Amino acid sequence: MVDMRGVNTWQDELASLVENSGIQYTGEPIGIMAAPPPILASTRMMESETETESLKEQVTGFLKSWGEMLVDLGKGCKDIVTQSNLVSEDSFIVQKLGKPMAKASGRLKYLNEFLPEDRDPAIAWPVIFFVLLLALAAISGNSTNNSLVPSVKKMRVHPPSATRILLPDGRHMAYLEQGVPADRARFSVIAPHSFLSSRLAGIPGVKTSLLEEFGVRLVSYDLPGFGESDPHTRRNLNSSAMDMLYLADSVGILGKFWVLGYSSGSMHSWAALRYIPDRIAGAAMFAPMINPYEPSMTKEEMRRTWDQWSSRRKLLYFLARKFPKFLPYFFHQSFLSGNHGRIDKWMSQSLGKKDEILIEGPMFEEFWHRDVEESVRLGIAKPFIEEAVLQVSNWGFSLADLHVQRKCLRNGILLWLRSMYSQEECEWAGFLGPIHIWQGMDDQAVPSSMTDYITRVLPRAILHKLPNEGHFSYYFFCEECHRQIFSTLFGDALGPLNKMAEIDETSLEAVAEEASSITGSARK
């Protein structure tokens, strides 16, 4: 083999590569491992990098990359807007929005102190706003998929169970009796229900034993189109009072009876006091509603009333007064949807502390679901629209008309002067019976400003203020409260009438009178 001088062998090349490491090749054979294939080597490098890079570092790198991309996007948008002259001094946008934007940016300028010094606020804040929108979208997506969200409860249709009477105009009215029978009742009470309720409400949770203890007969009924009562083609508060009168006669109430009004159902009780006062013994009102557009309310009473309500509730009142044809949309989204929901959501109103505790209980939920199912039995929106429109329309009378006052039957100055000396020309007008009003001071559905107005125009009304009580807490499922109510209205609990004892006592008195008459004639 020829020795090539001046040409480095492969051993010399290898020695020159490692000469700085201090290793010298002596010519002895060394074991050299074959180099791994390129694919295997790159795979091992990736595995080692993956093992050394933690999850936190990966997330941090991902967020940094997104941040840089968003910053670049913001700069690009800024360049486009600048080049298009949209923000020049002569542009329409700057002329219309320049001053308001400058004023708003001046007030919010202190927020720039929270940004890093090297960040331009004009770029950073749009990026932050965009990231916030993404975060909110992710949170809302996770909340909708949460397995802990309770399933929606469907409404049931129950078989008919009400007793009904036939009214003079051919309609049928459904009613429910509680307490003592007609022939043993000391006091008869008729209770029209409120909006989104039925005859099943009456006095929610009242015990039969308490009704019997005071000798009370409680009659509740379905308003036209609610529950099992037939709709009324053209109903108003006058027809509502007449329906109540026909009901009283049909169920055997011969004398006077009490009316009980709760919330919006109180407007039917007010109508009874106005149109059939001779049959009403007295009235018990609980959180009574009035027309929120009542023109005789003062500005302060009006302001205190409307300030308590949510924007959605105000909108519903406005639609009922001006555009009632839009109400079916909102009703079909809530209680006419076929699904149950929370009462405060359907009322579009927040509740007080005691009310919140009450509606969370299983007893209230069971009652509420059953009452709503009966209320929407027909599944149509018309009765609810009529009730909502009645609430905010002209009632045909004012509560001031119920105030007791003397009114002369004839006009003229001479007749008026004559009436001062003769009682035959004048008579007492208004409702002469007692009116009791119970108002929870923590009631946000029916504000206390409404009862302030009522007591102002009806100074004879007796107001019972209830501290810390809400819209439901005193009237629903409170036995002690119901006892206090009956004691206030009816006095001592004397129980039901004992007809047999009265008959026996009457017969004994008749026998004694007959015997005394016979004895007297014999002496003569």
Side-chain angles (χ1 to χ4, degrees):
M1 184 175 182
V2 179
D3 186 9
M4 303 210 39
R5 303 292 180 181
V7 179
N8 294 332
T9 62
W10 66 271
Q11 292 92 341
D12 297 333
E13 292 290 339
L14 180 60
S16 63
L17 291 175
V18 298
E19 61 182 355
N20 294 331
S21 62
I23 302 175
Q24 296 182 359
Y25 177 64
T26 59
E28 298 178 358
I30 57 174
I32 300 176
M33 182 180 295
I39 298 178
L40 182 59
S42 60
T43 304
R44 290 179 180 177
M45 291 176 64
M46 292 176 62
E47 290 178 354
S48 61
E49 291 179 358
T50 305
E51 292 176 357
T52 57
E53 188 176 10
S54 63
L55 178 61
K56 181 179 179 180
E57 294 174 346
Q58 295 180 24
V59 173
T60 303
F62 176 79
L63 294 178
K64 287 182 178 180
S65 301
W66 263 99
E68 293 174 356
M69 293 173 63
L70 291 176
V71 170
D72 294 338
L73 177 63
K75 291 180 178 179
C77 294
K78 180 182 178 181
D79 294 339
I80 293 174
V81 172
T82 304
Q83 295 174 6
S84 60
N85 295 326
L86 292 176
V87 292
S88 62
E89 296 181 357
D90 299 332
S91 66
F92 177 80
I93 297 176
V94 172
Q95 292 178 358
K96 295 296 183 181
L97 303 179
K99 292 183 179 179
M101 290 295 294
K103 186 176 180 180
S105 62
R107 292 183 177 181
L108 300 177
K109 192 174 182 180
Y110 72 95
L111 295 176
N112 295 334
E113 299 177 359
F114 299 95
L115 295 176
E117 296 180 356
D118 57 342
R119 295 296 181 183
D120 185 2
I123 300 176
W125 286 118
V127 172
I128 294 173
F129 180 73
F130 182 72
V131 174
L132 179 62
L133 291 180
L134 292 178
L136 292 177
I139 293 174
S140 62
N142 292 333
S143 61
T144 55
N145 297 327
N146 192 354
S147 59
L148 299 179
V149 176
S151 59
V152 178
K153 186 176 181 181
K154 299 289 185 180
M155 290 188 184
R156 296 172 53 193
V157 179
H158 300 267
S161 60
T163 306
R164 304 206 303 173
I165 61 171
L166 181 64
L167 299 176
D169 59 1
R171 292 181 294 115
H172 288 87
M173 174 186 287
Y175 70 94
L176 174 68
E177 290 188 72
Q178 293 176 274
V180 299
D183 58 346
R184 302 188 62 195
R186 290 185 181 273
F187 307 99
S188 297
V189 180
I190 295 183
H193 61 79
S194 60
F195 189 86
L196 195 57
S197 187
S198 70
R199 70 184 185 280
L200 302 181
I203 304 177
V206 66
K207 293 189 175 181
T208 304
S209 59
L210 185 63
L211 294 172
E212 294 175 348
E213 185 178 344
F214 283 86
V216 176
R217 181 192 186 196
L218 177 62
V219 181
S220 54
Y221 64 98
D222 289 330
L223 294 174
F226 291 74
E228 297 185 37
S229 289
D230 295 336
H232 193 298
T233 54
R234 293 188 307 173
R235 68 185 181 106
N236 52 33
L237 291 182
N238 192 351
S239 67
S240 179
M242 293 300 106
D243 285 352
M244 194 181 301
L245 180 61
Y246 296 141
L247 173 65
D249 294 338
S250 300
V251 299
I253 301 178
L254 303 179
K256 292 186 176 183
F257 57 90
W258 286 74
V259 290
L260 187 152
Y262 167 70
S263 190
S264 62
S266 58
M267 67 177 173
H268 303 287
S269 299
W270 294 124
L273 301 186
R274 174 64 179 87
Y275 294 113
I276 53 172
D278 296 338
R279 292 295 303 274
I280 308 300
M285 304 289 190
F286 300 88
M289 280 285 293
I290 62 172
N291 185 349
Y293 295 95
E294 173 61 44
S296 59
M297 293 178 68
T298 65
K299 292 183 178 180
E300 178 63 18
E301 291 167 344
M302 191 78 71
R303 183 191 63 79
R304 289 174 53 203
T305 298
W306 285 88
D307 286 350
Q308 291 290 324
W309 291 332
S310 64
S311 300
R312 180 182 174 86
R313 189 178 180 92
K314 294 176 184 178
L315 174 62
L316 292 176
Y317 280 135
F318 173 76
L319 293 178
R321 185 173 175 85
K322 298 294 185 179
F323 307 101
K325 292 184 178 180
F326 290 100
L327 289 177
Y329 169 78
F330 293 93
F331 293 165
H332 283 288
Q333 295 296 319
S334 55
F335 54 84
L336 291 178
S337 64
N339 300 323
H340 283 295
R342 284 176 57 92
I343 188 171
D344 53 343
K345 301 297 183 184
W346 286 358
M347 290 176 61
S348 302
Q349 187 62 44
S350 59
L351 301 176
K353 293 182 180 180
K354 279 196 172 183
D355 285 343
E356 287 286 352
I357 296 173
L358 176 67
I359 67 174
E360 292 293 341
M363 184 181 301
F364 182 90
E365 183 180 3
E366 181 181 358
F367 158 79
W368 162 247
H369 286 176
R370 181 65 183 90
D371 192 33
V372 171
E373 289 171 346
E374 189 64 26
S375 179
V376 301
R377 170 182 289 273
L378 298 180
I380 56 178
K382 185 178 179 181
F384 299 95
I385 296 175
E386 294 172 345
E387 190 73 2
V389 171
L390 275 178
Q391 181 67 62
V392 298
S393 302
N394 185 358
W395 287 3
F397 65 93
S398 174
L399 292 186
D401 298 336
L402 305 178
H403 179 53
V404 177
Q405 51 188 330
R406 284 184 61 192
K407 285 190 176 181
C408 296
L409 300 179
R410 299 178 182 179
N411 296 324
I413 297 177
L414 294 178
L415 293 176
W416 176 76
L417 292 174
R418 184 181 175 184
S419 66
M420 296 178 65
Y421 301 96
S422 175
Q423 297 295 330
E424 297 179 356
E425 301 296 334
C426 295
E427 65 179 6
W428 289 103
F431 179 69
L432 302 177
I435 301 176
H436 290 268
I437 301 174
W438 281 266
Q439 176 66 46
M441 303 311 293
D442 196 25
D443 190 343
Q444 301 181 29
V446 179
S448 59
S449 56
M450 285 194 168
T451 54
D452 292 340
Y453 164 77
I454 295 172
T455 54
R456 180 171 64 84
V457 299
L458 297 176
R460 294 181 64 251
I462 304 171
L463 176 61
H464 307 274
K465 294 184 178 181
L466 307 172
N468 303 321
E469 298 290 348
H471 192 64
F472 306 102
S473 57
Y474 187 80
Y475 188 61
F476 283 60
F477 302 101
C478 180
E479 182 178 1
E480 184 60 31
C481 305
H482 298 160
R483 181 177 295 277
Q484 292 176 4
I485 293 168
F486 289 166
S487 298
T488 302
L489 298 177
F490 310 129
D492 296 334
L494 302 177
L497 296 175
N498 192 341
K499 287 294 183 181
M500 295 301 297
E502 291 181 358
I503 293 174
D504 294 341
E505 184 178 354
T506 303
S507 61
L508 290 175
E509 291 178 355
V511 171
E513 291 178 358
E514 184 178 358
S516 62
S517 62
I518 293 174
T519 304
S521 61
R523 288 178 180 177
K524 292 179 180 179

